[in-house]
Every structure is written in structure tokens, then in C-alpha cells.
Amino acid sequence: MGNLRSNIRNSRRGGLAGLGNSSTIMLSLMIVLVAMVSRTSGYAINYTPSVDDSNLLKELAARGEIHVDRRAPPPRPTLVFKRRQVGEDEESTTTAESAATSTANSAASTTETSKSAKSTTTKSSSTGGDTSVTPTTTSGNTLPSVTVVTTSLPSAFDTSLGSNFTKSSCPQFFSNFLSNSTFQSCLPVSLFLQNSNSFIQVEKSGPLLTQTLDAACDAPLAVCMPLLSNLASELIEDDNCGTDFARQNPLVVQAYSGMMAYEPVYRATCLKSSETGNYCFSDAVLNRTNPFDFYPYLTAVGMTLPAVVQPTCNQCLHDTMGIFAGYAGTDNQPLAKTYTGCANQLDSLCGAGFVATNVKTGAVTTPGSSGASAPQISVMTAGLATLIAAIWLGT
């Protein structure tokens, strides 16, 4: 009988050990299954010890060989899924591929719609800001807009003014009128001719030069001409730059000449060729076969025409000199000092009667001029003219 009880006890212990191994395997399988499914597909498992415990477990618990935890189970952990972080190399590659794809798609879209697009040019604001060209489609499809931003419109005195002034009030006067929004919107080409580095850069591009002249010629002459004339009068006052003007400070003299010459230069640079349809000034500046074609425009701001300069004798030159002749008779215009010499030289080059040579320069005294006509700027030497021509031919 004793042996029988011993055998039963060993069998029970062996069964319990086997049961422990089986429970471990089942628990591992359950953990794997839970990890494989999302939390949205999971479900609660209700366990009631009084019902689900086997008779064997109850007997073992009664003898104290095992202990059963009757406390409430802990809450299930919430599974949180996070997006995998892309490494630096992989991220840069993905970004480059996305940008390339976007660019290719945009280029293809633009090519397909270019035939049905209209280019609408938006003029700059009154402060002379950037301009843009936005194609507007005429079809019913909604397409992303394409904006082409060009360079800013040029401005006068865009390099350092230096310190060669008698009074501090003079550079302050320059600073005040250059920051005036109305002055900026006038885009005075007469001041750009001698004192604008940005305009020199614009003159190297036909489209940019045309764009600039479009904006300058759209400026209201009835507003800008009195403004520039008034600025010229204030410039040479003693409280501003009067002393430097009397001492022939080049910057002040050029500023005064450019302000006074605003209207004749405005009318001459806005003149268009009947042959090409372009601005005469643009054709003259961009004529690489004869880089001297733009020199006559400089006489309007007080520069004399060098003897070596031989511009093309065309209709544009004839009409431009006709405009200048109408202003040469006024005493405070720089043309009163330079027109006669230029006209005689062109008359000899292009033939008698090509330009008017019998103009009485400086015969008309303007009200309020007080004899303050612009002094004649030094003659451009033949060597300098040749150097400038060589630069233009090399660009």
C-alpha cells in the first residue's frame, strides 16, 4: 500500500512538472500572437478562477504545494507604434529624389500648358521693387502658377557716396531724396546714366533693359518732372549742397544735371524705333557693331561728344537730336552747353540738315533759375571713349 501511495505521489509530481512545461510553451505562443496583431484586433480574456481552476490545482493549493494569486490582474499595456526615423543618408536621398520628381513634373506641366498660356507682366510697386511674369492659362484646368522673378529695377547712387563733402547736410540731403518712394517710382534714367551701377548691369541684357524702360516710361511725367526740378533747386541751396555745388563737387554737379535733364532724357529714352519696334535707347546701347550709338544721350546730362565718336546715322538718332534741340534753348538745361557741339559734329558726319544746327542755346531763361545753370562737365577724352567702347565690345 505504501508503494502504491508513493507511486501516485510521483506520478502527480511528474504530471505537475509536465504541466509546468506545457504552460510555459503556451504562454510563449500567446505572447507571440499578441505581438503580431494590432491593438485594434485584440480582445479581452476573462478569467474566473473559481470556474476555470482544475481539481488538481485546487488540491495542490489546499495542501500548500502551490500558491494562487487571487488579486485583480494588472491593466493591459497600450501598444504605441512610432514611425521609423529615417537616417541622414537615407533622408537626404529621399529628399533629393522627391525634389527631382517634383521638378520633372513641374517642367512637364509647364511644357504641356505653355502653348495655351498668356504672359502677364506685373509692374513693380511705387518703390521700385521686383517684377514678375506669371503665365495665366486659358483652359479650364487648374494648374500650379509659375512665377519668374527678375532682378530689381535699378536705382541712382547705389554705391558709396564717399565723404568728399563740405557740410554733413549734403550727404543727408542725398539720403533723404533717395529714400523717397515717389522719387524711386520715377526711375530717373537721367540720373542712372552716370550714377547707377545697377543700371550698368541692366544695360547688358536686352530683356532687363526693356523692362526697366517700360517701368521708367510708365512713370507720370506730370508728377516726376516737377519733383526732380524741385529737388534740383533744393540741392543747390546753401543749407544742403550749395557750397559743394559752387566748388564743383562732381557728385553734386552730376546729381543736379541729372535732375534738370529728367524730362529731355525721359522723352528721348522712351522713343521707339519705327524699324525694330524697340526703344531707340535700347538699340543704341546693345549695338555691338557700333558701341558709340549711346554717346549722344550723355550730352543731355552735360557731357560733350568726343570727336572720335561716330554714331550710326539712323532715324532714331535724328529723332533723339530733335528732342534735344527743343530743350537746348533753356538756360538751366545741360544741353544748353553741349548741344551745339554735338549737332555740328553729327551734321558733318551724317550730312547737312540731318540735325538742327541753328538752335539758340540758353536763350530762354526759366523762372526761378537765378542763373544757376548746370556747369559743363569736363569733355570725355578720346582715350576714355575708346576704352569704354572696348569694354562694351568685350562684354
Side-chain angles (χ1 to χ4, degrees), residues 254-325:
Q254 291 171 11
Y256 180 83
S257 299
M259 291 173 179
M260 293 304 302
Y262 173 78
E263 185 174 359
V265 173
Y266 174 95
R267 296 190 183 279
T269 55
C270 293
L271 187 67
K272 288 194 174 182
S273 170
S274 58
E275 297 177 358
T276 65
N278 302 326
Y279 289 103
C280 288
F281 180 79
S282 180
D283 284 343
V285 169
L286 298 173
N287 185 4
R288 293 298 185 261
T289 60
N290 190 351
F292 297 123
D293 279 1
F294 78 98
Y295 275 75
Y297 294 93
L298 299 177
T299 63
V301 292
M303 300 183 70
T304 57
L305 191 67
V308 296
V309 172
Q310 296 183 354
T312 305
C313 300
N314 54 22
Q315 189 64 38
C316 274
L317 179 60
H318 174 270
D319 295 342
T320 298
M321 292 302 297
I323 292 174
F324 290 167

Side-chain angles (χ1 to χ4, degrees), residues 107-164:
S109 176
T110 302
T111 303
E112 290 296 330
T113 60
S114 60
K115 293 183 179 180
S116 61
K118 294 181 180 179
S119 296
T120 304
T121 302
T122 303
K123 294 291 176 64
S124 63
S125 63
S126 60
T127 57
D130 293 346
T131 60
S132 61
V133 178
T134 304
T136 304
T137 59
T138 56
S139 63
N141 297 329
T142 302
L143 297 172
S145 60
V146 179
T147 301
V148 179
V149 180
T150 63
T151 58
S152 299
L153 292 172
S155 57
F157 301 99
D158 50 2
T159 55
S160 175
L161 294 175
S163 58
N164 188 27

Side-chain angles (χ1 to χ4, degrees), residues 59-282:
E59 183 179 353
L60 292 174
R63 288 201 304 266
E65 295 184 15
I66 64 172
H67 298 279
V68 180
D69 190 355
R70 302 295 181 180
R71 294 175 299 176
R76 291 185 303 158
T78 302
L79 299 180
V80 179
F81 297 91
K82 295 184 178 180
R83 185 180 297 276
R84 181 172 61 88
Q85 298 295 327
V86 183
E88 293 182 358
D89 294 338
E90 184 178 354
E91 182 177 7
S92 60
T93 304
T94 303
T95 303
E97 293 176 352
S98 300
T101 303
S102 176
T103 303
N105 293 337
S106 177
S109 176
T110 302
T111 303
E112 290 296 330
T113 60
S114 60
K115 293 183 179 180
S116 61
K118 294 181 180 179
S119 296
T120 304
T121 302
T122 303
K123 294 291 176 64
S124 63
S125 63
S126 60
T127 57
D130 293 346
T131 60
S132 61
V133 178
T134 304
T136 304
T137 59
T138 56
S139 63
N141 297 329
T142 302
L143 297 172
S145 60
V146 179
T147 301
V148 179
V149 180
T150 63
T151 58
S152 299
L153 292 172
S155 57
F157 301 99
D158 50 2
T159 55
S160 175
L161 294 175
S163 58
N164 188 27
F165 297 100
T166 303
K167 294 182 179 180
S168 60
S169 59
C170 188
Q172 183 60 46
F173 179 80
F174 272 81
S175 177
N176 291 340
F177 80 76
L178 288 175
S179 61
N180 182 274
S181 59
T182 305
F183 170 83
Q184 293 172 357
S185 66
C186 289
L187 291 170
V189 178
S190 56
L191 287 172
F192 295 165
L193 291 176
Q194 297 184 88
N195 298 284
S196 176
N197 182 66
S198 53
F199 189 66
I200 293 176
Q201 303 307 315
V202 164
E203 287 179 311
K204 299 178 181 180
S205 168
L208 292 182
L209 182 55
T210 299
Q211 172 187 289
T212 299
L213 294 177
D214 283 340
C217 295
D218 279 345
L221 183 62
V223 174
C224 295
M225 190 275 290
L227 172 64
L228 271 295
S229 179
N230 183 65
L231 286 175
S233 300
E234 293 180 356
L235 176 71
I236 60 177
E237 290 180 355
D238 292 338
D239 292 339
N240 295 318
C241 301
T243 304
D244 289 293
F245 181 77
R247 295 184 178 184
Q248 295 288 281
N249 181 309
L251 197 66
V252 177
V253 171
Q254 291 171 11
Y256 180 83
S257 299
M259 291 173 179
M260 293 304 302
Y262 173 78
E263 185 174 359
V265 173
Y266 174 95
R267 296 190 183 279
T269 55
C270 293
L271 187 67
K272 288 194 174 182
S273 170
S274 58
E275 297 177 358
T276 65
N278 302 326
Y279 289 103
C280 288
F281 180 79
S282 180

